[in-house]
Structure formats: C-alpha cells, structure tokens
Amino acid sequence: MEQVVLYIVKIGGNVIDHPDHLQAFLNRFATIPGPKILVHGGGKIATRIGEQLGVVSQYIEGRRITDEATLDLVTMVYGGLVNKKLVASLQAVGCNAIGLTGADANIIPAIKRPVKEVDYGWAGDINTQSIHISSLQVLLQAGIVPVMAPLTHDGKGHMLNTNADTIAASLAVALSQRYAVQLMYCFEKKGVLADLENPESVIPVIHPQNFPELKKEGKLHSGIIPKIENALEAVSKGVQKVWIGDAADIEHTIKQKGYGTYIEII
C-alpha cells in the first residue's frame, strides 16, 4: 500500500523575527494538503527577552550555552510565547494546530549533551530510535497539526534546549517508518547558494556523491554545512527527500519541482 505523504516543515528566526514574513508563511503552510508538522526555532526573541530579564545569552561557535537561567528563559519563550503565538495564528487561518515540546506525551526524550571540550549546559541530544511517534500519529490522523518547539526532556524532570534542525530531521527519520516524509527547511535564501553574493546561484541538487566536491571547492558556506549533513543523514535513513529554500517558495515547491535545493540519494 502506498504511504501517505507527510510534510515536516522547519522555520527559523529569519521567518519568526519578521511578523509580515511569518504571517505570509503561515498562510502558505496552512494550504499544504494532508498531514503536516511545523517545527520552529526561537529567533532573536529569547535573546531580547533575556536582556530585559537580565539573562545574557552566551555563545560558543554560534551555539547557545544553556545554563539554569537560560533554560528557564528558552522554556518560557520557545515553549510558551513563540509556540502559542504560532498556534493561535494557524487557528486564525483555519489550520487546527496544537503546540508541543518534546516533553509532551514523552514524544522526544533526549540526553543532556556530554561535556567534552565545551560544556553546553542543558542542551539535548536525540536518539532517533527513542522518539515516540504513536502520539503524533494520533494527532495527525485526527487532522491536527503538531507545532513543535525546540525543546526536549531528559526523563528526570529537566527540559533540554535542542537544535530545531535536529528535531525536524529526527522526527522525519522516526516517522519515515509510517509515512513518505518530505522534510523542508525554510529560511531567507532561495536555496543553498554556490556564491553568497549571488542570490540566484542556487545549487539545485546535493547528494552524497557531489557533497564532498562542493565542500572542497568552497562552494558551501560553513553555516549551511551542518544543515546539509543533517539532511543527507535523514535521506540515508528513509526520509524521501529534503528541501532547503525560501519560505516564500514553499507552496510552489510542493506543486512543482524547480525551486530551492533538494537533498537526495541518487
């Protein structure tokens, strides 16, 4: 029997931080046919509210250090303010959504990141095989859209701050057992660019064979490489395809190929 297509769409701060862009995206997202899941990051909102509360964010190599105060902050902002505003906005456009963290229904248990060269604090790492997809299936079959905040839990009473790209990829792999999953990473560029100065220099397809060559030739910006590595791992573990592109192109992409960058096994 042919598997039902499930779209898992991840949006980041570049969409969330701009109300007009966000509303336009949510209007498009609501029109995606069939079951779908929205995974969101936190954007600059947590940093801004943290400054108001006297919680200063610390970063190492672009990654937030999650101490106790920061954990409280991101739990409030990601799991509360951002998540519930997204849900309310989706309800306003006729998309019946429910806001969740990885702790809800024990969907995404994780482990606190082991301390190596850097102590990232209460950051969570996911084992895909530990994800409980049954609760998500119940919601999807009922026509309810899960909206996942970038938070997991350790099973010992602690929330964990967890990368939204990783949550999206992990959910995609876990749910590929039951669905034909298409994972979509939405950001502000038209796709993966060979030249950051040229917005039209989109690389249409990246696969395991050409990825090393693209890296060697310096055609991939260092910031996009982890996202591509996540995507390549996802398709190697059963995800049908991964798309990286402009949030404004999501509707066109679903209807026809030709926009953004596809990560595929060929």
Side-chain angles (χ1 to χ4, degrees):
M1 188 172 71
E2 189 174 346
Q3 286 184 312
V4 173
V5 175
L6 168 66
Y7 293 98
I8 297 180
V9 182
K10 186 266 173 176
I11 55 169
N14 38 61
V15 179
I16 291 169
D17 290 333
H18 298 89
D20 292 344
H21 295 176
L22 177 59
Q23 190 57 56
F25 164 80
L26 293 174
N27 292 342
R28 297 185 191 97
F29 176 81
T31 67
I32 295 174
K36 51 188 175 282
I37 295 173
L38 180 62
V39 179
H40 67 85
K44 296 174 182 173
I45 301 171
T47 302
R48 188 172 70 243
I49 292 178
E51 288 170 353
Q52 294 169 5
L53 297 174
V55 180
V56 180
S57 297
Q58 296 180 44
Y59 296 87
I60 294 180
E61 295 179 351
R63 294 187 177 186
R64 192 190 297 266
I65 303 298
T66 309
D67 58 15
E68 293 277 359
T70 302
L71 181 63
D72 286 348
L73 172 68
V74 298
T75 301
M76 288 189 296
V77 176
Y78 298 167
L81 181 64
V82 175
N83 188 267
K84 300 312 175 190
K85 279 191 169 184
L86 287 172
V87 170
S89 296
L90 285 170
Q91 299 293 5
V93 293
C95 181
N96 192 10
I98 184 168
L100 299 168
T101 70
D104 295 296
N106 195 26
I107 293 170
I108 314 178
I111 61 168
K112 184 175 181 288
R113 183 168 300 155
V115 177
K116 295 179 181 175
E117 293 84 7
V118 177
D119 182 356
Y120 286 102
W122 295 102
D125 291 332
I126 303 170
N127 178 350
T128 301
Q129 294 179 335
S130 298
I131 292 176
H132 297 111
I133 64 173
S134 55
S135 299
L136 288 173
Q137 279 190 279
V138 169
L139 294 170
L140 293 168
Q141 288 166 1
I144 299 171
V145 177
V147 179
M148 299 294 305
L151 296 162
T152 58
H153 77 119
D154 68 357
K156 301 172 186 176
H158 292 104
M159 297 298 291
L160 297 170
N161 186 14
T162 306
N163 181 272
D165 285 352
T166 303
I167 285 181
S170 300
L171 286 173
V173 170
L175 286 158
S176 65
Q177 303 168 34
R178 307 288 174 86
Y179 298 89
V181 177
Q182 298 197 19
L183 173 58
M184 310 183 81
Y185 286 118
C186 296
F187 67 155
E188 77 283 4
K189 295 181 171 55
K190 293 186 177 183
V192 179
L193 303 180
D195 177 3
L196 280 179
E197 303 302 316
N198 179 4
E200 304 300 324
S201 63
V202 176
I203 301 170
V205 180
I206 296 175
H207 47 78
Q209 290 83 356
N210 72 350
F211 179 54
E213 186 179 340
L214 290 168
K215 276 204 301 185
K216 186 178 177 181
E217 293 173 355
K219 290 185 176 178
L220 300 175
H221 182 258
S222 59
I224 199 74
I225 289 175
K227 196 182 294 282
I228 297 171
E229 288 172 340
N230 252 347
L232 285 168
E233 184 175 4
V235 294
S236 74
K237 292 182 176 177
V239 176
Q240 193 178 74
K241 64 178 70 169
V242 181
W243 176 84
I244 300 174
D246 192 331
D249 290 334
I250 187 170
E251 196 175 3
H252 304 300
T253 301
I254 288 170
K255 292 177 180 175
Q256 66 182 74
K257 200 164 176 174
Y259 297 82
T261 300
Y262 284 85
I263 312 296
E264 299 177 342
I265 301 290
I266 61 167

